[in-house]
Amino acid sequence: MMNTATAQPASLSSRVLEKFHSVFAGENPLIVRSPGRVNLLGEHTDYNNGYVLPAAINKAIYMAVGRRSDNELHLVSLDLDQTYTGIIDRLEPSPLHWPDYLLGVIQQIQALGHPLGGFNCVFGGDIPLGAGMSSSAALECATAFALSELFALGLDRLTMVKLSQKAENVFVGLQCGIMDQFASMFGRKNHVIRLDCQSLEYTYFPFDMDGIRIVLLDSNVKHSLASSEYNTRRQQCEAGVRLVQAHYPDITSLRDVTLSMLEAFVEPVDMLVYRRCRYVVEENARLLAGTEDLQKGDLAAFGQKMFATHKGLSHDYEVSCEELDFLVDQVKDDPDVIGARMMGGGFGGCTINLVKESAIDGLVERITPVYRQAMKKELKVYIGEIENGTSLAK
Ligand code: GLA
């Protein structure tokens, strides 16, 4: 197959272990695997108390940790070949930036009243950075899980999800929703998770698509606008809720807003906010209908909803970009592509495509040169397998 990156999980975990032994003397560390995620439907709905439909994938971070007898932190990023050294009770954001994901989690665990000692840590993985597959959530969840095991804290998965999200909100400064951490922690092999971000109830749906694979087309555009525009979208949604609230005081999020409320109270006041909110309200409805498609085995109908989501994200929510639109446009009339859309926060990263397995090589051969020619960028291709969530690595 052309240009497709293949995962070698066993060798990743042994590379991390080897590095640990070469840097730190002493006992065997414990090793945790924590995956990235895809999301099938439900984009920009999590922070609006709506629904999401993610799954954990075969791209992951492997983290080795071992206790120290002092209160020092020695953190090593294998892929960046960088080391951070600090003290467990003096946590400050680091100029290296990547330690912040671990330090934020340490801070949140301490805030829950769990004392931690010093530890050594080496991590590395194969989740592409900035491609919208949530390498940051995977790193946070790996840290939470590893420390819970190492210090026998007995944290349950939902607690680890919430503290990982809070670490990103507080220590890293991105006001992300709960989807990425939830998917990384609660993933189940060959299933997608429908999560209700209001009640946090979740249901697994089997996603065994005979002869169909998840293909991620990486635009190779790093989402540099993502954090500022992300926070702006949140504010626009909140503005819409306030306009509705003036008439329906009990409503606290777009989850409980209907299209007719938006037409009555938002459209006449602010067209831009109306379009943002309309996308979110429609996306929640689309996701619920999409899970019915899955239950009926109607993948064609499900795929059409992915295309509709892309349209909404591109035209109404405006978080796409030229390259992502180009990639979706290239596949939308291809009978071998069941559905496609941009995935994640937006402004770069990947499109997620459901493609007939027998057609993948041909698709990649066709799109790679036209993408290069039109966008002056190299396409990268990943085949996503749905895997289990964060766990001890074997
Ligand atoms: C990012 C955030 C998630 C979610 C998506 C958009 O991945 O971390 O919480 O909001 O964007 O659906």
Side-chain angles (χ1 to χ4, degrees):
M1 177 165 301
M2 282 185 59
N3 206 15
T4 51
T6 45
Q8 300 285 335
S11 75
L12 271 175
S13 108
S14 47
R15 274 179 56 223
V16 166
L17 184 60
E18 248 172 57
K19 180 75 176 176
F20 192 95
H21 283 310
S22 78
V23 181
F24 306 112
E27 294 160 34
N28 271 341
L30 67 86
I31 303 188
V32 168
R33 170 192 170 276
S34 189
R37 63 104 188 89
V38 289
N39 185 26
L40 274 304
L41 284 175
E43 215 65 271
H44 287 274
T45 43
D46 60 353
Y47 54 83
N48 287 304
N49 278 354
Y51 296 96
V52 291
L53 196 63
I57 52 167
N58 56 333
K59 300 259 167 232
I61 280 173
Y62 286 81
M63 179 179 280
V65 287
R67 281 198 198 210
R68 294 177 62 93
S69 52
D70 55 22
N71 62 355
E72 290 182 11
L73 299 169
H74 291 249
L75 314 177
V76 178
S77 163
L78 179 63
D79 303 322
L80 297 176
D81 197 18
Q82 290 176 343
T83 301
Y84 166 94
T85 311
I87 294 183
I88 194 84
D89 40 24
R90 236 174 285 155
L91 304 172
E92 274 161 26
S94 157
L96 294 176
H97 189 58
W98 61 262
D100 295 353
Y101 296 98
L102 297 100
L103 301 178
V105 168
I106 295 171
Q107 185 185 58
Q108 290 305 323
I109 292 180
Q110 289 173 332
L112 290 176
H114 300 290
L116 296 173
F119 65 93
N120 297 323
C121 167
V122 174
F123 72 92
D126 62 354
I127 311 175
L129 299 180
M133 288 181 227
S134 299
S135 52
S136 35
L139 182 52
E140 291 150 5
C141 291
T143 309
F145 196 96
L147 295 183
S148 179
E149 291 289 320
L150 190 65
F151 293 100
L153 306 178
L155 300 177
D156 64 80
R157 284 184 185 262
L158 190 57
T159 301
M160 292 190 278
V161 166
K162 288 181 176 169
L163 74 85
S164 296
Q165 181 198 8
K166 204 161 173 202
E168 182 142 350
N169 295 164
V170 175
F171 211 85
V172 181
L174 183 80
Q175 294 308 309
C176 65
I178 198 167
M179 169 170 72
D180 303 345
Q181 291 81 5
F182 198 96
S184 183
M185 199 55 97
F186 280 84
R188 180 183 286 179
K189 194 171 175 62
N190 294 335
H191 289 72
V192 292
I193 315 165
R194 186 179 69 196
L195 171 67
D196 176 339
C197 300
Q198 188 162 50
S199 64
L200 296 183
E201 276 167 23
Y202 59 98
T203 315
Y204 292 103
F205 290 83
F207 205 70
D208 38 48
M209 311 169 298
D210 219 11
I212 309 271
R213 303 289 291 271
I214 296 173
V215 178
L216 300 167
L217 298 180
D218 185 348
S219 66
N220 227 333
V221 179
K222 303 290 169 218
H223 40 36
S224 54
L225 265 178
S227 54
S228 61
E229 289 294 325
Y230 188 92
N231 292 341
T232 309
R233 292 301 175 282
R234 282 195 78 135
Q235 287 157 12
Q236 288 165 333
C237 292
E238 284 159 18
V241 170
R242 278 196 301 275
L243 288 171
V244 175
Q245 235 169 22
H247 304 269
Y248 290 91
D250 291 345
I251 283 185
T252 54
S253 74
L254 286 180
R255 165 62 176 276
D256 301 314
V257 167
T258 62
L259 285 179
S260 53
M261 288 177 191
L262 292 178
E263 280 156 19
F265 309 123
V266 184
E267 191 178 12
V269 182
D270 190 330
M271 195 59 196
L272 184 67
V273 166
Y274 168 70
R275 279 175 32 228
R276 303 292 193 244
C277 295
R278 184 179 62 189
Y279 159 75
V280 173
V281 171
E282 286 175 350
E283 180 70 350
N284 278 327
R286 203 159 26 232
L287 188 149
L288 292 177
T291 47
E292 279 173 30
D293 296 339
L294 286 185
Q295 278 168 314
K296 282 188 253 157
D298 189 348
L299 213 55
F302 185 87
Q304 285 309 309
K305 293 186 175 63
M306 293 173 72
F307 284 118
T309 294
H310 185 78
K311 216 166 149 202
L313 287 167
S314 179
H315 298 295
D316 285 340
Y317 216 65
E318 294 183 286
V319 291
S320 187
C321 62
E322 201 190 348
E323 291 85 350
L324 293 170
D325 288 347
F326 182 88
L327 289 173
V328 172
D329 212 49
Q330 282 295 315
V331 301
K332 76 174 189 308
D333 297 320
D334 185 332
D336 294 323
V337 179
I338 317 303
R341 65 177 192 82
M342 57 147 281
M343 187 179 77
F347 302 101
C350 290
T351 62
I352 175 169
N353 303 260
L354 301 184
V355 186
K356 288 187 189 150
E357 192 161 13
S358 56
I360 296 176
D361 285 358
L363 178 78
V364 173
E365 275 169 39
R366 174 170 73 77
I367 293 197
T368 303
V370 285
Y371 185 71
R372 182 184 301 130
Q373 214 196 355
M375 298 292 141
K376 310 282 177 264
K377 291 184 181 75
E378 283 304 311
L379 190 68
K380 285 192 232 141
V381 182
Y382 309 103
I383 310 295
E385 309 270 355
I386 300 185
E387 289 294 342
N388 285 326
T390 311
S391 62
L392 286 175
K394 289 183 195 94

